[in-house]
Amino acid sequence: MNILLTGGAGYIASHTLISLLESGYGAVTLDNYSNSSPEALRRVKQLTGMEFKAVEGDAQDRELLVRIIRENNIEGIIHFAGFKAVGESVEKPLMYYRNNLTSTISVIEAMLETGVRNLIFSSSATVYAGDNLMPLTESARRECINPYGWTKYMSEQIIRDAAKAHPELSCVLLRYFNPVGAHPSGLIGEDPSGIPNNLMPYICQTAVGIRDHLTVFGNDYNTPDGTGVRDYLHVCDLAEGHVKALAYALTRSGCDAVNLGTGTGYSVLDMVNAFERVNGVKVPYVIGPRRAGDLDECYADPAKAEKLLGWKAKRGINEMVCDAWNWQKKNPKGYKD
Ligand code: NAD
Ligand code: UFG
C-alpha cells in the first residue's frame, strides 16, 4: 500500500518514512524543501536500502496532489507539510495561515477527488488552552495564543468538518507533544535553520560549540526545580505512532484526535542534566527571563493512543539525549556537512 507524505523530507516525516518502509508500506514524498533538504531522503534510502519516489513541489497545489495520488495509487496521506516556528508566525501570520491552511484544504480536496480515504494529520499539543489541568486528555479545552497554534486548531476543524460531510473519510489528528532525538544511526535528525527555537537543538548546538551557552527561560515556574516542564518524546516513538495511526485509520471511518506523548514531564534542567550525564559533555547555561507564552508545565495523558492505536512510547530520556547528541556530533552543521 502506497502512502503520500507531504513535507516528507522534514524532521518528523523522515523518521516516519523509515518506520513506514520498514513496516512494508510504499511511500512517495512531496516537499518544497522550504525547511528541509533532499539529503535527508537520500540518507533514508541509504539507511533502509529501499527506494521511494520523492517529488519536489508544493502541498498547496491540489492538481499536483491529484496527479501524484493517481500516478502512484496512493491510499493514505500523512500531512506533515507546514511552517512551524511560533515566533515567525506572530510576525508573518498570513504566510502561516496561507501555507498551513491551504495545504490542508488542498490535501482534503485531492483526497475527495481521487477517492483516497485515509488521512493522518500533524497536529500539536499547542491546540490546548493554557488553563487546563495536567495531564492533558484529548477533551481538554482548546485555545491558542499564536497564529501557528491557530493553524493547527483550524486545520483540525477543517478536517473534522470534512469527515462529517464525507463519512467515508478516516482521519486521525495526532497531537504531538515535544519530539526530540534522532534515528540511532545518526544519519538523520533535526536540522533547524538559523538559531533554534526549541530546547533540544539548542542544547545540542551549545554542547558542540556553535552556541556558547543555553539560556534557561525562567526558573520561577511552579514546578519542582522552577524551570518549565514538558513531555519530551523520542522522534522514533513518534514515527511508530504514525504507522499505528495509519493501521487504525484503515479499520474504520470518522475522525479522532489522539495525543502522542509519553505522559511524563521533564524540566529544562532535567534535560540539561541528563544530556551532560549520558553524553559526558558540558552544556553551559545561564538563567534568563521567562519567554512570552510559555506554560509552567505541559504533558499528555497518552491513554487514548494506547487504547485506540495500541501505541505507547518505549524510549526514555537517556535514549532521547543520547540519540540527539549522536546526530549533532556526527553532523555539526546538519545536512550541510
Ligand atoms: P519540518 O519543518 O522539519 O517539516 C515540515 C516539512 O514541510 C519541511 O520539510 C518543509 O520543507 C515542508 N513544507 C512546508 N510547507 C510546505 C508546502 N507548502 N509544500 C511542501 N512542503 C512543505 O517540521 P517537523 O518538526 O518535522 O514538523 C512536521 C509537522 O509536525 C509540522 O506540521 C509541524 O507543525 C508539526 N508539529 C511539529 C512539532 C515539533 O515540535 N517538531 C510539534 C507539533 C507538531
Ligand atoms: N527553553 C529554554 N531555552 C531555550 C529553549 C526552550 O529554557 O533556548 C524551555 C522553554 O521555556 C520550555 C522548554 O524549554 O520550558 C521547551 O521549549 P521548546 O521551545 O522546546 O518547546 P515548547 O513546549 O515551547 O513548544 C513545542 C513546539 C511547539 C509546539 C509545542 C507543543 O516548539 O511548536 O511544543 O507541542 F506547539
Side-chain angles (χ1 to χ4, degrees), residues 134-190:
M134 299 296 141
L136 292 162
T137 64
E138 288 79 358
S139 57
R141 196 172 75 79
R142 287 173 297 122
E143 188 179 348
C144 302
I145 54 167
N146 56 63
Y148 166 71
W150 283 116
T151 69
K152 293 299 176 190
Y153 181 105
M154 290 176 192
S155 286
E156 284 198 358
Q157 190 61 41
I158 290 167
I159 295 168
R160 214 175 281 115
D161 287 342
K164 210 178 280 172
H166 303 276
E168 72 279 14
L169 293 182
S170 181
C171 308
V172 185
L173 313 171
L174 294 179
R175 294 181 182 153
Y176 313 154
F177 280 69
N178 291 57
V180 295
H183 191 270
S185 64
L187 275 177
I188 63 166
E190 187 169 11

Side-chain angles (χ1 to χ4, degrees), residues 284-302:
Y285 68 85
V286 298
I287 306 291
R290 290 182 175 203
R291 181 172 68 179
D294 276 355
L295 300 174
D296 300 62
E297 49 176 13
C298 175
Y299 54 93
D301 178 341

Side-chain angles (χ1 to χ4, degrees), residues 40 52 96 102 142 144 158 161-162 171 189 226 260 270 272 294 313 326 336:
F52 54 87
Y96 271 67
T102 309
R142 287 173 297 122
C144 302
I158 290 167
D161 287 342
C171 308
L260 293 185
D270 287 337
V272 170
D294 276 355
N326 184 41
K336 286 177 282 300

Side-chain angles (χ1 to χ4, degrees), residues 44-82:
V44 170
K45 289 183 184 172
Q46 178 190 341
L47 248 168
T48 59
M50 289 186 232
E51 272 307 314
F52 54 87
K53 197 186 281 181
V55 179
E56 180 167 0
D58 198 310
Q60 297 176 70
D61 184 343
R62 185 177 49 79
E63 284 170 20
L64 174 63
L65 289 163
V66 167
R67 203 161 62 239
I68 295 172
I69 291 169
R70 293 213 166 111
E71 282 174 4
N72 299 283
N73 297 318
I74 297 294
E75 291 183 66
I77 300 185
I78 312 185
H79 180 38
F80 294 100

Side-chain angles (χ1 to χ4, degrees), residues 10 42 94 145 199-200 232 242 258 278:
R42 198 192 61 73
L94 298 183
I145 54 167
L199 178 65
M200 187 52 94
Y232 297 96
H242 290 76
V258 182
V278 170

